[in-house]
Amino acid sequence: MVSSQFVTKDFHVPIVGLLYRKEEDVDKEHFKSKLDLAIQLIHQAVEVAILFTRVAGDSWYFCNKIIKHLEQLHKDWIFASKSNRTINIRNRWVQLKDFVKELNPEDFKQVTITKTNGKRLIVFAYSKTVYIRKLGSIKVIASYLKKPLKNNPFFLATNRKD
């Protein structure tokens, strides 16, 4: 299922869900990839005049095809990112998971996030503007739920520089 929701500070409202079917399960002319379905949902939201300024999604949808589509619509975006995504920082290419190992614990700031249910979540986050091939300059955020900062962080990527 590929779905869209309208999310505010106070609530989440499901809008549309589209069923993804594998290429071998449908006629070739009817096949749509998950990325194509996501773009279709974005188009539908625009067509029915849903007022939205940004799109969020998991790492599956963090790709050139969707990012370029959102940029054409002048929408902000934030996606989870896989740790093996390669970034250019200080004129060298490195994967996110390796870059974060170069950071010190004091590089991370404690951030309190208020969830839509009112509960507060404390994370330790670091952000940096970096360059990614085909996408250009973006901001990446690495975050941990607990101190000490060990295991793998959660990565986000966004076109928002603030």
Side-chain angles (χ1 to χ4, degrees):
M1 181 70 72
V2 179
S3 63
S4 61
Q5 296 184 46
F6 186 77
V7 180
T8 72
K9 183 174 83 170
D10 300 316
F11 61 87
H12 296 228
V13 178
I15 299 173
V16 178
L18 299 174
L19 182 61
Y20 166 75
R21 296 188 302 173
K22 293 181 182 179
E23 193 168 3
E24 63 265 16
D25 294 338
V26 296
D27 296 331
K28 193 167 190 157
E29 66 269 8
H30 293 105
F31 174 73
K32 289 187 178 182
S33 71
K34 291 179 185 178
L35 301 179
D36 293 332
L37 293 174
I39 288 171
Q40 180 180 336
L41 291 174
I42 294 165
H43 271 302
Q44 288 174 347
V46 170
E47 286 173 1
V48 299
I50 294 175
L51 300 176
F52 67 101
T53 58
R54 67 190 65 94
V55 172
D58 67 27
S59 62
W60 179 268
Y61 301 98
F62 179 40
C63 66
N64 188 44
K65 185 174 187 174
I66 289 183
I67 298 304
K68 294 300 179 193
H69 183 74
L70 292 170
E71 287 176 355
Q72 289 174 349
L73 296 172
H74 305 287
K75 300 294 183 188
D76 289 332
W77 51 265
I78 185 165
F79 289 95
S81 178
K82 293 180 181 175
S83 64
N84 65 351
R85 183 67 83 143
T86 303
I87 61 171
N88 188 299
I89 190 144
R90 294 185 292 275
N91 293 319
R92 66 185 177 95
W93 293 98
V94 61
Q95 291 185 341
L96 284 172
K97 64 185 172 189
D98 295 325
F99 170 69
V100 79
K101 291 175 186 174
E102 299 172 10
L103 301 173
N104 297 313
E106 53 273 5
D107 293 328
F108 289 79
K109 294 180 181 171
Q110 182 174 318
V111 179
T112 302
I113 299 167
T114 304
K115 297 167 70 171
T116 55
N117 64 5
K119 292 186 179 179
R120 293 177 187 248
L121 175 68
I122 294 175
V123 299
F124 301 90
Y126 173 84
S127 68
K128 179 85 175 163
T129 300
V130 300
Y131 181 85
I132 292 187
R133 281 187 184 103
K134 298 183 182 177
L135 297 180
S137 179
I138 66 165
K139 182 168 276 198
V140 293
I141 299 115
S143 64
Y144 292 92
L145 288 176
K146 296 180 182 179
K147 270 192 170 180
L149 311 177
K150 56 183 176 180
N151 299 324
N152 296 319
F154 181 71
F155 293 103
L156 293 168
T158 182
N159 63 337
R160 297 283 302 249
K161 300 302 190 302
D162 59 350

